[in-house]
Amino acid sequence: MWFSSIPTQAGIKGRARAPLYVLASAVVAGTFCSFSGSAVAQTDMERQAQCELSAIRDTRSALAVQYIRSACNWLVVNRDSLLNASSKGYYICLVQQLSGAQSNEAAAAILSACRASNPL
């Protein structure tokens, strides 16, 4: 029975295959993660685009468009963050109230009002 610990040809092949299974599963997992990461990024891009499209439609102020884009980006990036929950109202205010702003002066007044009603 002392020779039962000597590896046989089948035992060596079985051990040699084990790392291949591990490597194959690692490749599959890595591929899945890269695809799921791009799917998440695409979803975030779509969310930001929808936010911008809904708010910028009738907006003529370049300042308002700039702040709407920034606010939509912030809302998408921080949508699930509890750390930034206190700032969320400010960015929602910007998206809702800047929509349709016709001049930079009007946009500046809206920015000021959103800041006053939602202190950071």
Side-chain angles (χ1 to χ4, degrees):
M1 297 285 176
W2 62 271
F3 56 87
S4 64
S5 64
I6 298 173
T8 62
Q9 191 65 18
I12 291 171
K13 284 182 183 176
R15 283 191 218 133
R17 287 186 188 149
L20 292 177
Y21 291 121
V22 172
L23 180 61
S25 62
V27 169
V28 170
T31 303
F32 176 74
C33 289
S34 68
F35 284 134
S36 66
S38 64
V40 169
Q42 184 177 6
T43 302
D44 285 350
M45 288 172 44
E46 289 172 355
R47 283 185 180 131
Q48 181 164 349
Q50 287 301 317
C51 176
E52 290 177 12
L53 286 171
S54 68
I56 293 174
R57 183 166 298 153
D58 297 322
T59 305
R60 293 189 180 169
S61 163
L63 181 65
V65 169
Q66 177 185 351
Y67 274 90
I68 288 169
R69 285 185 171 157
S70 177
C72 285
N73 181 51
W74 189 96
L75 288 167
V76 167
V77 169
N78 296 294
R79 71 181 176 272
D80 296 328
S81 173
L82 295 176
L83 295 174
N84 297 315
S86 62
S87 301
K88 193 172 186 174
Y90 170 71
Y91 292 101
I92 290 172
C93 180
L94 291 180
V95 171
Q96 290 175 344
Q97 303 305 321
L98 286 172
S99 181
Q102 300 298 304
S103 69
N104 287 342
E105 292 80 15
I110 292 167
L111 287 169
S112 180
C114 283
R115 250 186 239 115
S117 65
N118 297 284
L120 299 175

